Amino acid sequence: MSKKGFQSFAAGMILSTSVLAATYFMGEANEKTAAVVSKEVSENDIKEYLIKKGQTAIDTKEYDELIAFKETALIEKQKQAEAPPEEKPQNEKYTLKIVEGMNTGDVSDILEQEGVIASAKDFNEFVINGNYHTKVRMGTFELTKGMSFSEIVNVLVK
């Protein structure tokens, strides 16, 4: 490109930029934008918007109270988790009677209710996964609270 061609191109760019700037600053689009920006939003407008979105607004004092309550609850929960669990007598005996028609779920529920085991669901899964559910016998069995799952199963299948 020659020097004259390059100067003409630059002059065209300057002219087109000037025309675009004049159109932008003097056109109607700017007036519409200014009208939207200058509109004031009332408190009712905000409340209606929040209601439509399923949200709510609270004042700073109420927010601070909620945060303090949450922190207190977390501290209490942490203290409970750190507190040593109450010790249950481990030697306490329990007599379990299995009758015809009972399944391992029934046995698990009874053992949990009597405090022999902590979780009926975990015990039932242990029995089924170990394939002991087909070997449990009917009868009366002496169990001790605090026995492990495998110790309980050994008593029930002998």
Side-chain angles (χ1 to χ4, degrees), residues 70-85:
K70 179 182 175 186
E71 289 173 356
T72 305
L74 287 173
I75 290 170
E76 287 298 318
K77 187 175 180 181
Q78 206 172 31
K79 285 181 183 177
Q80 289 176 356
E82 292 173 359

Side-chain angles (χ1 to χ4, degrees), residues 41-106:
V41 179
S42 70
E43 191 171 328
N44 281 339
D45 293 336
I46 294 171
K47 286 180 182 177
E48 288 175 17
Y49 176 79
L50 289 174
I51 290 171
K52 286 179 186 174
K53 295 292 184 177
Q55 299 175 350
T56 187
I58 58 174
D59 60 14
T60 306
K61 182 181 176 185
E62 199 174 353
Y63 176 77
D64 291 339
E65 289 172 358
L66 287 171
I67 294 298
F69 178 76
K70 179 182 175 186
E71 289 173 356
T72 305
L74 287 173
I75 290 170
E76 287 298 318
K77 187 175 180 181
Q78 206 172 31
K79 285 181 183 177
Q80 289 176 356
E82 292 173 359
E86 295 179 23
E87 294 202 17
K88 299 176 186 175
Q90 297 295 317
N91 304 7
E92 195 174 326
K93 299 277 185 192
Y94 174 72
T95 303
L96 173 68
K97 185 173 184 178
I98 300 178
V99 295
E100 188 174 346
M102 291 178 74
N103 60 29
T104 56
D106 298 333

Side-chain angles (χ1 to χ4, degrees), residues 8 37 46 52 70 73 76 84 86 98 116 134 142 144 148-149 157:
S8 298
V37 171
I46 294 171
K52 286 179 186 174
K70 179 182 175 186
E76 287 298 318
E86 295 179 23
I98 300 178
V116 177
T134 59
E142 286 291 322
T144 306
S148 69
F149 290 169
V157 298

